[in-house]
Amino acid sequence: MARPFTPKVVTANELISGDVIYLAVDGSWVRELCMALVLSTQEDADARLFEAETQPHIAVGAYLADVKAGATGPEPTHFREAFRAKGPSNRVHGKQERTEEVPAHV
């Protein structure tokens, strides 16, 4: 028996910067998980993953990550995705360093 489908987002790394990015509703890439498109069926998830894989000039290593509904949008269900969403573990780099408003779209 197949496992029931759980909500997912498409995630990858941005080719130039290496930042974690997520596929948005309009097909663009965003850097914040709360803005990612939540996929509710396996068919839609497969189609969106294929779409992401056809953009190697923007995103590399695309895959589906499990999420759950949160107060401000999708939230990771696995510690790996929570870690990736926060940026590098070294506090002087990436998302953890930023204090100014950062544009959401890649």
Side-chain angles (χ1 to χ4, degrees), residues 3-10 37-49 64-67:
R3 289 178 43 188
F5 185 82
T6 57
K8 300 189 184 332
V9 296
V10 176
L37 168 65
V38 177
L39 305 162
S40 57
T41 68
Q42 187 65 55
E43 295 77 21
D44 197 21
D46 291 341
R48 294 300 183 131
L49 181 58
L64 298 170
D66 291 331
V67 294

Side-chain angles (χ1 to χ4, degrees), residues 47-86:
R48 294 300 183 131
L49 181 58
F50 178 78
E51 176 186 340
E53 291 171 338
T54 64
Q55 301 178 44
H57 58 289
I58 299 172
V60 294
Y63 66 93
L64 298 170
D66 291 331
V67 294
K68 63 182 178 181
T72 60
E75 295 178 352
T77 61
H78 192 274
F79 73 90
R80 178 179 190 262
E81 296 310 317
F83 187 79
R84 288 182 79 239
K86 289 182 181 176

Side-chain angles (χ1 to χ4, degrees), residues 21-42:
I21 54 178
Y22 305 93
L23 196 61
V25 174
D26 65 0
S28 67
W29 292 94
V30 294
R31 287 187 166 86
E32 301 300 326
L33 177 57
C34 64
M35 299 176 68
L37 168 65
V38 177
L39 305 162
S40 57
T41 68
Q42 187 65 55

